Amino acid sequence: MKTLITARFDRQYTKLLETVTTDYAFAGYGVTGEKMPVPEMKVKIKGIELLITEFEDITDEVIEAADRLKIIVCCRNEAFASVDIGAATAKKIPVLRAGGRNAIAVAEHTIALFMCVSKNISLTDHLLKYTDELTGVSYKDGSGRRAETMSEWSMDPDAPFALYGGGPEMYQKTFGQVGFGMIGREVAGRARALGMELLIYDPYVSQRDMDYLGAKKADLDTVMKDSDFISVNCNVVPETEGMISREKIALMKPTAYFVNTARAKVLDYDALYDALKENRIAGAGLDVYPVEPIPSGDKFLGLKNVVLTPHLAGSARDIVGHQTEITLHDVKKLLAGEPPRFICNPEVLS
């Protein structure tokens, strides 16, 4: 099976690849770090039977130019972001995706954001490195016996311990999880490992599916109202667009923290900004934004009670191995006449 691989590929899975095909070539983003342009893809796709891609734009033009293509693999959770699935379906070409490839990475990043914002880790790191606010200061209790016997920075009321300490422990707090798919389950599992009580909103998942974590299924209002930490990890579908609205944010405790590592469309960012600015909630962590890259001068950049990262949650060096293994196993299943785990257009198999 003649194969073109433009995705990042973990070479430790070469033997697994060669159980599928020995006629393969690497090109595009996985080699150069830059997406292959569509005109070049239209040429490269000629004679290719299996395409394993990641970030290249597999448009209707590319699919139309493919004269022998039998399988498209997109090494992303959301294959539609790179592949015209409708065009592939029209030509009866199955499109596979790397479901859950970055679930662990996103889950770890989510918990890290909660810790950074609730314990003022990012804020105080910035103040120490880039300002004299905490270093160029002489505290009243900086001399005498206390200074000789204790290693504390200072116990003055304007010192870091008083100003930036005292954040909540996560242990035995209520963790609200919005969305209980592959990523949501990884997040909830880590929260449970920290000794938290779990409230989960996902209308498509039963209580029985949550029992292994000792979690309680709840409606969205209950999650927003009763949780101390709230994580959003749901897909963007018509039902979830704008789901975390101004009204839902108004239900949150003033001591609660909120993190969004899902998609910007699920959240009313203006409402969240108002709640943070007015200290109606304790803090937030954000990895996704309505406009990316986030514009210079964006109003969120001026808030001290929010930790911002530039859409990094789904990025980890281990993901390349995950996506390689996940997709190759599904290709093997498809070739053996078995249903693959992650297919975007199963109707083409019937």
Side-chain angles (χ1 to χ4, degrees), residues 141-155:
D141 62 358
S143 60
R145 181 168 176 76
R146 193 210 64 82
E148 294 172 4
T149 59
M150 303 292 286
S151 60
E152 294 156 346
W153 198 283
S154 170
M155 302 309 297

Side-chain angles (χ1 to χ4, degrees), residues 124-200:
T124 51
D125 172 78
H126 175 84
L127 292 175
L128 284 171
K129 288 179 178 176
Y130 303 110
T131 79
D132 293 328
E133 187 173 322
L134 304 182
T135 53
V137 180
S138 178
Y139 296 108
K140 294 191 294 293
D141 62 358
S143 60
R145 181 168 176 76
R146 193 210 64 82
E148 294 172 4
T149 59
M150 303 292 286
S151 60
E152 294 156 346
W153 198 283
S154 170
M155 302 309 297
D156 284 3
D158 59 347
F161 189 86
L163 290 179
Y164 302 111
E169 295 177 344
M170 297 180 78
Y171 179 66
Q172 292 189 334
K173 300 301 191 301
T174 299
F175 190 88
Q177 181 66 47
V178 180
F180 200 60
M182 297 185 77
I183 293 174
R185 293 175 192 222
E186 293 287 348
V187 176
R190 283 157 178 76
R192 183 62 176 164
L194 292 170
M196 306 188 77
E197 301 296 324
L198 301 180
L199 282 180
I200 296 174

Side-chain angles (χ1 to χ4, degrees), residues 186-339:
E186 293 287 348
V187 176
R190 283 157 178 76
R192 183 62 176 164
L194 292 170
M196 306 188 77
E197 301 296 324
L198 301 180
L199 282 180
I200 296 174
Y201 169 71
D202 191 323
Y204 305 103
V205 179
S206 70
Q207 175 63 57
R208 181 179 299 176
D209 293 327
M210 304 173 184
D211 285 344
Y212 75 100
L213 285 175
K216 180 181 177 183
K217 183 177 172 71
D219 59 46
L220 183 56
D221 282 3
T222 300
V223 168
M224 299 299 292
K225 178 170 58 72
D226 292 350
S227 299
D228 302 295
F229 296 81
I230 300 170
S231 174
V232 177
N233 298 102
C234 60
N235 292 326
V236 176
V237 294
E239 293 81 9
T240 61
E241 287 195 25
M243 178 174 63
I244 310 299
S245 63
R246 186 173 294 274
E247 291 73 24
K248 302 302 181 189
I249 292 169
L251 296 174
M252 290 176 63
K253 299 177 182 180
T255 54
Y257 294 87
F258 176 91
V259 165
N260 184 17
T261 52
R263 285 289 184 264
K265 286 186 176 181
V266 304
L267 171 64
D268 184 333
Y269 275 73
D270 289 333
L272 180 67
Y273 173 82
D274 291 342
L276 290 165
K277 184 180 180 182
E278 297 164 13
N279 294 310
R280 288 187 278 109
I281 63 173
L286 300 172
D287 187 54
V288 291
Y289 309 94
V291 177
E292 295 185 7
I294 190 169
S296 175
D298 186 276
K299 58 188 179 182
F300 277 93
L301 299 176
L303 294 175
K304 286 189 174 183
N305 56 347
V306 62
V307 174
L308 309 175
T309 54
H311 209 141
L312 295 179
S315 176
R317 66 173 63 96
D318 307 273
I319 287 170
V320 178
H322 297 329
Q323 70 187 33
T324 303
E325 183 179 23
I326 290 166
T327 56
L328 287 179
H329 278 300
D330 256 4
V331 171
K332 288 193 70 174
K333 283 188 173 185
L334 189 59
L335 293 176
E338 301 172 12

Side-chain angles (χ1 to χ4, degrees), residues 63-137:
I63 293 169
E64 186 59 36
D67 54 351
R68 297 185 61 192
L69 194 58
K70 295 181 173 66
I71 303 171
I72 297 173
V73 174
C74 181
C75 294
R76 302 181 71 173
N77 282 314
E78 298 168 329
F80 63 80
S82 295
V83 179
D84 187 329
I85 295 171
T89 302
K91 293 189 71 172
K92 303 292 184 183
I93 300 171
V95 179
L96 307 182
R97 64 184 183 89
R101 68 168 185 161
N102 57 5
I104 292 171
V106 175
E108 292 178 349
H109 195 96
T110 299
I111 298 298
L113 284 174
F114 278 119
M115 290 187 171
C116 282
V117 67
S118 66
K119 301 179 186 305
N120 283 317
I121 293 171
S122 297
L123 175 59
T124 51
D125 172 78
H126 175 84
L127 292 175
L128 284 171
K129 288 179 178 176
Y130 303 110
T131 79
D132 293 328
E133 187 173 322
L134 304 182
T135 53
V137 180

